[in-house]
Amino acid sequence: MKGDHFVSNWMERDNQVIMSTYGRLPIVIDRGEGNYLFDEEGKKYLDLFTGLAVNILGHSHPEITKALTGQAAKFLHISNYFYNKPAITLAEKLIARSIKGKVFFANSGAEATEAALKFVHKWSKEQTEDRNGVVVLEKSFHGRTLGALKLTRQAGVYQDFPVTDTPVYEVEPHNVKALRDIFEKDKPAAIIVEPILGSGGIVTLEKEYLQEISRLCDEFGVLCCMDEIQTGVGRTGTFFAYQHAEIEPDVILFAKGIGGGLPLGGIIVAERYAHLFKPGDHGTTFGPSPLSAALGNAVIDVLIEKGQLEEGNKVASELYQSVIKLKEQFPSIITDVRGKGMMLGIVMNVEAAQVKEIQRQLLEEGLMVDVTQQTIIRLLPPLTLTSREVTLFIKAFEEKLQKVVKSNVIS
Ligand SMILES: *Cc1c(COP(=O)(O)O)cnc(C)c1O
């Protein structure tokens, strides 16, 4: 039961019975506590990517555990034949922090996108003008189901799967003219964008560009949809990231952080359109699990009422400033630092293999970071991150950057 043997045993067993659709990091997690994960040997790791932007309050947060055990003792599932109290209060909280509207709950990000696609379809049928299709941005990620997949513009994900026949138009971010041309010529029904492209490489959309999207949507009668699945729930400093641009979308997609670690997703639709989804138009057995919804309520209470979002924002700004200092110190290696709040992309001007090696060395030292688009180190820390932990990461990362400088001088 000890050491590498035990660990590799689990890896071997995974290999035997789990289809290999994921690249895994070479550790087996035993438990989590606060901002740390522990492996089988008790070694501790600072979790700087929170299960891909999910554990926004870290691991085993007391308020999350309290909500979990409280709801688990009542009921886990009742079906949508009954009124779901945790879901109703959660919808009220989501609306209070976004747009006046109504919520449809699903169980994941891709399901939120599917719900949005069906809603866009219903909406377009109501328009006097013939409108069809969805505009998305280059390198966007909106999920992997056969509807959502067509909106996901990353070759390795997209591949050649048969997808929905809803037309999809791809535009380059920040190219307003291209967007206007598509709105004018192709008459799409909707645009769906991530305010900060996540898996596409932490591409922050300028405030002015988001405002232009919103303005063009008004001008041409296009439905404005924000995919906040990764950026939402306080991740970027505001409750939803579109709020930095002070716009009002028609549809908001959410998932990841909202369930406090449990699967939960959905869409918020503006009041004036919310009637378009009628009984039978959409549904899911689990959406939402009362347990996930109870956790959603706890997440919002801790972030807003208990002030964790504000606390997190202070530490996020320290993290950003420290990473910017490293960029100034190593201008030939770090070429850009992107993102907002607890969602940062450090653009590395080195080979993909070298970035992977840095990630591996950091992991060995007990620091978990993510890599996206091969050369971008992605940080998605919990909002419970502390100043001390920022220092811990920056010190270790700086050492790695020094090493890169040395090896490049020699070679
Ligand atoms: C993760 C993600 C999705 C898909 O969510 P899943 O829960 O993995 O289906 C969709 N959009 C964005 C922006 C995401 O980051």
Side-chain angles (χ1 to χ4, degrees):
M1 277 270 298
K2 229 194 131 265
D4 289 347
H5 179 69
F6 189 76
V7 171
S8 60
N9 183 25
W10 281 110
M11 291 174 186
E12 181 53 35
R13 284 165 66 181
D14 176 292
N15 208 18
Q16 294 294 324
V17 294
I18 310 276
M19 286 200 248
S20 86
T21 58
Y22 305 103
R24 297 208 199 281
L25 295 171
I27 52 172
V28 180
I29 302 298
D30 192 41
R31 66 186 182 91
E33 194 184 312
N35 300 332
Y36 292 88
L37 286 169
F38 296 78
D39 71 12
E40 289 285 344
E41 291 160 301
K43 179 170 167 177
K44 100 183 195 183
Y45 302 86
L46 180 61
D47 184 2
L48 294 169
F49 68 84
T50 55
L52 287 169
V54 171
N55 309 298
I56 198 118
L57 301 176
H59 303 277
S60 57
H61 189 287
E63 291 299 321
I64 294 288
T65 306
K66 200 170 112 194
L68 188 80
T69 50
Q71 182 58 42
K74 290 182 187 162
F75 52 80
L76 295 176
H77 177 74
I78 47 171
S79 89
N80 280 305
Y81 285 161
F82 301 103
Y83 294 95
N84 182 336
K85 288 201 282 184
I88 296 164
T89 52
L90 178 56
E92 287 167 350
K93 285 177 186 169
L94 286 168
I95 290 161
R97 274 146 203 97
S98 57
I99 53 172
K100 195 166 159 34
K102 286 186 178 168
V103 178
F104 174 86
F105 282 112
N107 311 291
S108 69
E111 280 185 43
T113 304
E114 294 295 331
L117 276 173
K118 278 181 88 171
F119 182 79
V120 167
H121 183 76
K122 292 290 293 191
W123 180 86
S124 67
K125 295 270 160 231
E126 294 284 313
Q127 307 308 303
T128 45
E129 200 182 22
D130 196 15
R131 296 208 153 267
N132 193 18
V134 178
V135 179
V136 294
L137 301 184
E138 268 175 30
K139 290 204 179 161
S140 57
F141 188 96
H142 299 290
R144 294 169 180 269
T145 48
L146 292 180
L149 189 57
K150 200 173 183 183
L151 310 184
T152 293
R153 312 305 293 182
Q154 300 181 14
V157 183
Y158 188 90
Q159 299 180 34
D160 61 350
F161 291 108
V163 291
T164 173
D165 58 9
T166 299
V168 170
Y169 309 98
E170 180 182 308
V171 290
E172 188 190 1
H174 297 123
N175 187 338
V176 175
K177 186 178 176 303
L179 186 61
R180 172 177 266 282
D181 285 351
I182 285 178
F183 275 16
E184 213 159 17
K185 283 195 211 108
D186 299 300
K187 302 204 179 310
I191 177 168
I192 303 185
V193 300
E194 302 158 78
I196 299 177
L197 281 83
S199 85
I202 316 288
V203 179
T204 313
L205 300 184
E206 303 285 343
K207 180 177 178 176
E208 293 72 24
Y209 179 64
L210 283 168
Q211 288 172 341
E212 198 60 33
I213 290 177
S214 171
R215 219 189 49 69
L216 288 172
C217 282
D218 287 345
E219 185 184 334
F220 290 93
V222 173
L223 208 57
C224 179
C225 312
M226 292 289 144
D227 180 343
E228 295 271 1
I229 290 168
Q230 187 166 151
T231 49
V233 199
R235 170 70 48 201
T236 73
T238 46
F239 192 76
F240 286 118
Y242 75 78
Q243 289 162 335
H244 291 291
E246 293 145 24
I247 56 169
E248 280 246 330
D250 300 308
V251 178
I252 301 162
L253 289 65
F254 60 89
K256 291 199 167 115
I258 191 63
L262 287 184
L264 179 61
I267 57 173
I268 309 170
V269 171
E271 185 77 51
R272 62 190 176 285
Y273 303 130
H275 64 281
L276 293 174
F277 257 178
K278 295 188 171 65
D281 281 342
H282 201 32
T284 161
T285 304
F286 284 115
S289 151
L291 196 61
S292 304
L295 263 58
N297 279 293
V299 166
I300 295 180
D301 289 348
V302 172
L303 286 180
I304 311 292
E305 274 76 42
K306 303 224 154 118
Q308 194 62 55
L309 176 56
E310 222 172 292
E311 278 298 302
N313 282 345
K314 284 185 214 148
V315 179
S317 137
E318 288 170 26
L319 176 64
Y320 183 76
Q321 296 306 328
S322 310
V323 176
I324 288 289
K325 270 196 204 132
L326 286 183
K327 177 180 175 281
E328 284 160 5
Q329 199 180 336
F330 302 93
S332 63
I333 306 174
I334 300 178
T335 51
D336 203 2
V337 181
R338 309 200 288 231
K340 278 194 164 74
M342 291 295 189
M343 180 176 184
L344 292 185
I346 306 171
V347 183
M348 304 283 288
N349 180 34
V350 297
E351 299 284 309
Q354 218 166 356
V355 178
K356 252 200 136 67
E357 178 57 19
I358 292 173
Q359 182 192 29
R360 196 195 62 77
Q361 288 177 11
L362 286 172
L363 189 67
E364 216 168 76
E365 284 176 36
L367 295 144
M368 290 172 167
V369 302
D370 184 37
V371 174
T372 187
Q373 299 292 316
Q374 313 219 19
T375 52
I376 299 170
I377 293 181
R378 174 166 58 167
L379 303 180
L380 297 163
L383 267 82
T384 46
L385 193 75
T386 65
S387 305
R388 205 184 62 79
E389 288 157 356
V390 170
T391 311
L392 201 75
F393 163 70
I394 293 293
K395 244 186 102 199
F397 189 40
E398 185 185 348
E399 272 172 36
K400 303 296 158 267
L401 294 168
Q402 298 280 16
K403 262 199 199 169
V404 172
V405 170
K406 269 191 209 145
S407 71
N408 286 357
V409 167
I410 292 163
S411 62

